[in-house]
């Protein structure tokens, strides 16, 4: 059967697409639309973009079996296809068809980059901070004729010199660490996110109109259920457009790893912290209405696009644009810069803390000494 010359295409505002309404209709951009343009070029058809009239976005299933959003438009035959970056899931198969997979969709989450800690937050130095000399104990056990010998004086003197140098080096290392702001790890795994949600220190938002909350709430994993039930209870669902460079304090958002790289860049220039874990990996496919004439033609075109590496090039180009934008903001580093008050604040903090503690100890010793003298007087 000959492929149609005109198709109605459904899309919605998401991380993979951007839709602008004009007087002449909708203008859409993003990786979804670039895939659509490739299909239109290969199959020689024209198209018109349509958006769902409800707030269902991807599509929510009602108890009566009807769907909202893009899925509902395909179910009712209002549009022919949708190239929305969507996973191939069983729940939608009764009302629409999927093409062959054209990419994978790894669902993960992202948070703001953790704030740097104060300069004086240093761990790992307290255990080895005292260089105790074993020589005094050894010399006490030595015979009397060896205690005042020349060898004893040379050995003891060399040890004192080493101890002085070691203390100086140790102090220098500590001060050098005080000029660097330690960066905490942040939330990078699903168990850490579940614990933060359980404590109420973090909120986890999923795209509006998705089935992610139901998937998490019905999972066999306790951490998944904790997160999913919290989403349903607090209605943590919103339109995630991934436009801002910051996510928000105490907030995590769900999304595809590829979308996060496109919108926020890749490390070390990324503006957000993307988790190491993922909720799962699905195949992404074009959504097609039931009864569409030419599913095989679309599958053939997708195979050619994938074999030619065209879709991967789309993702790489989009990610490179964002990466270049973030890289251009980074000022050239000459390798040497002056230490300001902010870098040295940790050293001054510990110095003042030491003075305060010493002053308090002096006052306590004076009071104790006076009380002891009064008790000894007849």
């Amino acid at each position: 059967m000959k492929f149609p010359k005109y198709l109605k295409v459904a899309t919605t505002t998401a991380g993979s697409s951007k839709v602008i309404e004009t007087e002449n209709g909708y203008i859409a951009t993003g990786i979804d639309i670039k895939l659509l343009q490739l299909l239109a070029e290969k199959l020689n058809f024209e198209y018109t973009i349509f958006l769902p009239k409800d707030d269902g976005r991807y599509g929510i299933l009602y108890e009566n079996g009807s769907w909202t959003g893009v899925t509902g438009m395909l179910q009712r035959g209002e549009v022919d296809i949708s190239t929305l970056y969507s996973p191939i899931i069983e729940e939608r198969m009764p009302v629409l068809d999927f093409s062959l997979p054209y990419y994978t969709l790894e669902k993960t989450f992202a948070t703001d980059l953790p704030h740097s800690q104060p300069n004086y937050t240093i761990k790992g130095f307290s255990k080895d901070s005292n260089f105790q000399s074993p020589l005094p104990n050894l010399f006490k056990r030595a015979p009397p004729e060896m205690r005042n010998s020349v060898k004893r004086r040379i050995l003891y003197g060399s040890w004192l010199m080493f101890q002085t140098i070691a203390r100086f080096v140790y102090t220098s290392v500590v001060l050098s660490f005080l000029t660097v702001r330690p960066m905490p790890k942040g939330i990078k795994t699903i168990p850490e996110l579940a614990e933060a949600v359980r404590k109420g220190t973090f909120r986890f938002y999923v795209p509006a109109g998705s089935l992610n909350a139901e998937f998490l709430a019905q999972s066999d994993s306790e951490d998944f259920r904790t997160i999913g039930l919290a989403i349903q209870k607090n209605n943590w669902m919103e339109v995630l457009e991934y436009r801002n460079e910051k996510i928000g304090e105490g907030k995590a958002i769900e999304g595809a790893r590829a979308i996060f790289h496109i919108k926020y860049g890749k490390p070390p220039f990324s503006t957000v912290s993307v988790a190491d874990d993922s909720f799962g990996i699905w195949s992404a496919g074009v959504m097609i209405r039931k009864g569409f004439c030419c599913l095989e033609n679309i599958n053939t075109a997708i195979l050619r696009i994938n074999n030619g590496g065209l879709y991967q090039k789309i993702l790489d180009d989009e990610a490179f644009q964002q990466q270049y934008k973030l890289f251009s903001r980074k000022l050239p580093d000459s390798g040497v810069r002056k230490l300001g008050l902010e870098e040295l604040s940790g050293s001054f903090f510990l110095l003042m803390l030491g003075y305060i503690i010493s002053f308090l100890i002096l006052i306590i010793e004076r009071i104790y000494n006076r009380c002891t003298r009064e008790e000894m007087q007849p």
Side-chain angles (χ1 to χ4, degrees):
M1 183 178 294
K2 189 176 181 180
F3 199 88
K5 291 292 184 180
Y6 170 78
L7 292 183
K8 296 179 180 179
V9 181
T11 189
T12 185
T13 301
S16 55
S17 63
K18 179 181 178 181
V19 183
I20 301 176
E21 185 176 2
T22 65
E23 297 179 355
N24 299 325
Y26 296 104
I27 298 177
T29 58
I31 60 174
D32 296 340
I33 306 304
K34 290 187 177 181
L35 174 60
L36 176 62
Q37 291 171 351
L38 283 177
L39 291 174
E41 181 181 349
K42 298 296 181 183
L43 298 173
N44 193 26
F45 67 86
E46 296 180 355
Y47 59 87
T48 303
I49 299 293
F50 293 89
L51 269 64
K53 297 179 181 179
D54 51 50
D55 295 329
R57 302 292 170 179
Y58 291 88
I60 300 174
L61 177 63
Y62 287 148
E63 295 182 357
N64 60 4
S66 62
W67 286 77
T68 63
V70 172
T71 304
M73 297 175 70
L74 291 165
Q75 180 187 31
R76 296 186 296 269
E78 297 174 1
V79 293
D80 300 305
I81 66 171
S82 174
T83 55
L84 199 62
Y85 189 45
S86 177
I88 300 176
I89 55 177
E90 185 178 357
E91 288 81 358
R92 291 192 173 96
M93 288 183 176
V95 297
L96 55 85
D97 292 326
F98 284 98
S99 70
L100 292 176
Y102 61 85
Y103 205 70
T104 56
L105 193 156
E106 180 185 359
K107 290 185 178 180
T108 183
F109 66 91
T111 61
D112 280 340
L113 292 171
H115 298 293
S116 58
Q117 297 176 347
N119 300 72
Y120 48 82
T121 307
I122 299 181
K123 300 179 181 179
F125 289 93
S126 58
K127 294 183 180 180
D128 302 323
S129 57
N130 295 323
F131 296 96
Q132 299 294 337
S133 172
L135 293 182
N137 294 329
L138 293 178
F139 287 126
K140 288 179 181 179
R141 299 177 184 178
E145 60 271 13
M146 293 184 59
R147 295 179 183 176
N148 297 321
S149 64
V150 176
K151 293 182 178 180
R152 180 259 184 191
R153 293 177 183 276
I154 294 175
L155 180 61
Y156 195 72
S158 62
W159 175 260
L160 289 178
M161 183 179 297
F162 165 76
Q163 190 177 21
T164 302
I165 295 174
R167 289 179 183 274
F168 177 77
V169 172
Y170 171 80
T171 304
S172 301
V173 172
V174 172
L175 291 176
S176 65
F177 271 92
L178 287 173
T179 61
V180 180
R181 286 185 174 273
M183 185 63 68
K185 177 184 177 183
I187 297 179
K188 302 292 286 186
T189 64
I190 292 176
E192 293 173 351
L193 176 63
E195 183 65 21
V197 170
R198 191 179 296 112
K199 291 180 179 179
T201 57
F202 259 82
R203 311 178 309 279
F204 182 56
Y205 286 83
V206 298
S210 68
L211 303 177
N212 299 334
E214 290 79 0
F215 164 75
L216 295 173
Q218 297 173 7
S219 174
D220 296 331
S221 170
E222 182 179 353
D223 292 332
F224 281 30
R225 290 197 304 272
T226 298
I227 298 171
L229 293 175
I231 294 172
Q232 293 177 334
K233 178 181 178 181
N234 299 283
N235 194 28
W236 288 339
M237 301 181 187
E238 65 180 19
V239 180
L240 301 178
E241 300 182 9
Y242 312 100
R243 294 181 180 178
N244 299 325
E245 293 187 357
K246 298 294 183 181
I247 294 175
E249 187 73 23
K251 179 180 178 181
I253 60 174
E254 189 246 35
R257 190 176 298 275
I259 301 300
F260 284 142
H261 289 165
I262 290 174
K263 296 297 183 180
Y264 300 112
K266 296 180 180 180
F269 304 108
S270 176
T271 59
V272 301
S273 174
V274 182
D276 298 329
D277 283 355
S278 61
F279 295 103
I281 299 177
W282 289 263
S283 296
V286 176
M287 294 186 287
I288 305 170
R289 65 173 173 82
K290 287 286 187 180
F292 184 72
C293 66
C294 308
L295 176 59
E296 291 300 325
N297 300 67
I298 294 179
N299 287 337
T300 301
I302 286 176
L303 285 175
R304 292 176 178 176
I305 291 172
N306 277 343
N307 291 338
L310 299 180
Y311 189 75
Q312 183 63 53
K313 186 178 185 305
I314 291 175
L315 297 180
D316 293 341
D317 290 346
E318 290 286 329
F320 176 78
Q321 292 179 11
Q322 180 67 3
Q323 197 77 356
Y324 180 79
K325 184 191 303 182
L326 296 174
F327 178 79
S328 61
R329 297 181 185 176
K330 184 177 176 62
L331 297 176
D333 190 0
S334 61
V336 179
R337 61 188 181 91
K338 296 181 180 180
L339 293 178
L341 183 60
E342 184 178 1
E343 286 78 12
L344 297 175
S345 60
S347 302
F348 287 117
F349 174 82
L350 291 183
L351 179 63
M352 295 303 299
L353 181 63
Y355 284 156
I356 293 173
I357 294 175
S358 301
F359 184 71
L360 292 177
I361 293 175
L362 175 62
I363 294 177
I364 294 173
E365 287 182 347
R366 297 283 296 179
I367 295 174
Y368 176 78
N369 188 32
R370 179 177 298 181
C371 294
T372 304
R373 287 182 178 181
E374 292 178 355
E375 291 179 355
M376 294 179 62
Q377 291 179 357

